[in-house]
Amino acid sequence: MVSGRLCIAGLGPGALQQVTPEVAQALQDATDVVGYLPYVARARALARQGGREQAVAWHASDNRVELERARQALALAAQGRRVVVVSSGDPGVFAMASAVFEAIESAHGSEAALWQALDVQVLPGITAMLAAAARAGAPLGHDFCCINLSDNLKPWPVIARRVQLAAEADFAMAFYNPRSQSRPEGFVRLLQLLRGCCEPGRLLVFARAVSTPDEHLRVCTLADALPEMADMRTVVLVGNSMTRTVGRWVYTPRHYGMDGACAGSVP
Ligand code: SAH
């Protein structure tokens, strides 16, 4: 019987207050913490506060090695250790939870049996779009979807089709990984695509580094949006056709189609 445990934990958007008690407890009980360098640093800061920094083995790695990192965590858990894999936000949103299950699925022989028998738990966290929406008001107050703009793991035509159909169906949208230095063109294309199917007054929220000391929120219309407003620390929220401002807040009403035209509405 395997005694090890693997928790895949979400650290939230940045602030310690937004780490759930469940995740804090898992870190408190951990013998090993595995993850991308900045997230491991955040978990380490928490452990330092609790006086447990020396009691934990810290395994920080580069961003592009998710599957390797997942295998390392599974192997440690199979040795009987209590392992926490850390992600920012929620681990199930463009993060490590899928990578761990992919690693389990691709294991062979005795390793496959061992890994499938492990106690694996996914501990949710506050994902970036919800932290950002809360800061802005309630822009995701009606139906919405979220799309990862990174084309490292999927081709641009797939992204473009999803955006097009989501805009036609008048979903509000949240865009993760909007713009990196290595692929600045994706977000330019996104703005072009949105301008082709949404009105110029459509509201956008550029929420950068939410809940950290670098937090910055900017609300603008689609007509005024510029590619430079987004980077890899930004999540971009695009309202639906009914999203509006009241005072300094942005919100989407919960009643739909009762007051005015909306794109893609069914007659
Ligand atoms: N699992 C994470 C998402 C990882 S993808 C989550 O649930 O939030 C990384 C992307 O998340 C970034 O490019 C950015 O778009 C978004 N992001 C993560 N933290 C953020 C924060 N504090 N403020 C704004 N966007 C953030």
Side-chain angles (χ1 to χ4, degrees), residues 13 88-90 93-95 127-128 176-178 207 209-210 232-235:
S88 76
D90 183 274
V93 180
F94 314 131
T127 188
Y176 285 72
N177 291 307
V210 175
M232 284 305 272
R233 295 186 74 191
T234 307
V235 64

Side-chain angles (χ1 to χ4, degrees), residues 178-189 227:
R179 185 163 168 267
S180 73
Q181 281 177 345
S182 61
R183 35 168 201 84
E185 68 291 345
F187 194 66
V188 175
R189 284 194 250 171

Side-chain angles (χ1 to χ4, degrees), residues 85-258:
V85 175
V86 285
S87 282
S88 76
D90 183 274
V93 180
F94 314 131
M96 283 304 293
S98 291
V100 169
F101 294 118
E102 192 181 333
I104 294 175
E105 189 180 32
S106 62
H108 299 289
S110 59
E111 197 169 64
L114 202 59
W115 287 4
Q116 282 183 24
L118 282 173
D119 175 7
V120 175
Q121 289 176 30
V122 182
L123 309 182
I126 298 175
T127 188
M129 69 177 169
L130 298 185
R135 282 285 198 264
L140 304 179
H142 209 297
D143 300 338
F144 65 91
C145 64
C146 61
I147 295 178
N148 188 348
L149 273 192
S150 166
D151 52 9
N152 292 335
L153 301 172
K154 64 176 184 266
W156 172 256
V158 172
I159 298 174
R161 180 168 157 75
R162 288 184 181 169
V163 172
Q164 180 78 40
L165 292 175
E168 275 176 29
D170 202 23
F171 282 106
M173 295 172 245
F175 292 100
Y176 285 72
N177 291 307
R179 185 163 168 267
S180 73
Q181 281 177 345
S182 61
R183 35 168 201 84
E185 68 291 345
F187 194 66
V188 175
R189 284 194 250 171
L190 173 77
L191 289 178
Q192 283 166 355
L193 196 62
L194 290 173
R195 286 183 176 127
C197 49
C198 303
E199 70 290 352
R202 183 65 63 100
L203 286 176
L204 273 66
V205 179
F206 290 85
R208 182 170 195 274
V210 175
S211 92
T212 79
D214 302 328
E215 176 174 309
H216 180 72
L217 246 74
R218 186 200 303 249
V219 178
C220 70
T221 62
L222 182 55
D224 292 335
L226 297 171
E228 300 74 53
M229 292 175 181
D231 67 5
M232 284 305 272
R233 295 186 74 191
T234 307
V235 64
V236 182
L237 309 180
V238 178
N240 74 11
S241 61
M242 311 226 321
T243 304
R244 59 191 78 165
T245 55
V246 55
R248 60 194 165 81
W249 296 285
V250 180
Y251 90 106
T252 304
R254 296 169 63 207
H255 303 281
Y256 193 86
M258 323 276 267

Side-chain angles (χ1 to χ4, degrees), residues 6 8 34-35 61 65-77 83 85 96-104 115 118:
L6 178 60
I8 314 156
V34 176
S61 48
V65 294
E66 274 114 353
L67 211 54
E68 248 171 72
R69 191 188 293 146
R71 292 197 178 107
Q72 178 190 22
L74 286 157
L76 285 165
V83 184
V85 175
M96 283 304 293
S98 291
V100 169
F101 294 118
E102 192 181 333
I104 294 175
W115 287 4
L118 282 173

